[in-house]
C-alpha cells in the first residue's frame, strides 16, 4: 500500500513482506550509470539480519503510511545498526 507522493517520493509496505518498507521516486534526473532507468528505490528493514536494517527509518516510514491512512506495520524497537551489536 502506498502513501500519496510527497515531492515526488512514494512509500509503500505490504503485509506479504512485513519487515520491509520501500521509499521510491521516479524522478527523471536520477538515472543509472547508462543514463537509463530513472528513479531510485530504497528499502528499510526491521529485520536485524538484513543488509537494509534501519529500524528508525522503518518506523519513520510506517508513521508516514499511518498519517496517510494507509495500512502500516507496528513500530519496532530501535536498536544499534552496527553488525556486531544488532539484536539476534
Amino acid at each position: 500500500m502506498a502513501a500519496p507522493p510527497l515531492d515526488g517520493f512514494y512509500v509503500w509496505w505490504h503485509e506479504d513482506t512485513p519487515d520491509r518498507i520501500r521509499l521510491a521516486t521516479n524522478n527523471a534526473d536520477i538515472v543509472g550509470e547508462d543514463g537509463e532507468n530513472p528513479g531510485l528505490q530504497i528499502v528499510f528493514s526491521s529485520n536485524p539480519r538484513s543488509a537494509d536494517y534501519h529500524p528508525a527509518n522503518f518506523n519513520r516510514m510506517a508513521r508516514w503510511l499511518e498519517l496517510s491512512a494507509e495500512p502500516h506495520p507496528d513500530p519496532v524497537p530501535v536498536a544499534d545498526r552496527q553488525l556486531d551489536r544488532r539484536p539476534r
Side-chain angles (χ1 to χ4, degrees):
M1 311 310 155
L6 177 64
D7 294 328
F9 285 91
Y10 298 82
V11 60
W12 74 91
W13 171 81
H14 196 275
E15 295 143 352
D16 291 344
T17 53
D19 64 341
R20 300 169 68 79
I21 295 179
R22 298 173 188 278
L23 175 67
T25 181
N26 60 0
N27 184 314
D29 294 331
I30 303 172
V31 296
E33 290 79 14
D34 58 4
E36 300 292 322
N37 301 319
L40 176 70
Q41 185 177 133
I42 302 168
V43 176
F44 302 110
S45 175
S46 64
N47 180 346
R49 294 180 308 238
S50 171
D52 301 319
Y53 180 63
H54 202 307
N57 281 343
F58 181 89
N59 289 341
R60 183 174 290 166
M61 296 294 98
R63 287 191 298 273
W64 189 11
L65 286 167
E66 183 178 18
L67 286 172
S68 300
E70 295 290 337
H72 58 280
D74 291 330
V76 297
V78 175
D80 198 321
R81 293 180 56 227
Q82 190 167 334
L83 285 174
D84 63 346
R85 296 186 188 153
R86 289 185 184 183
R88 299 196 190 272

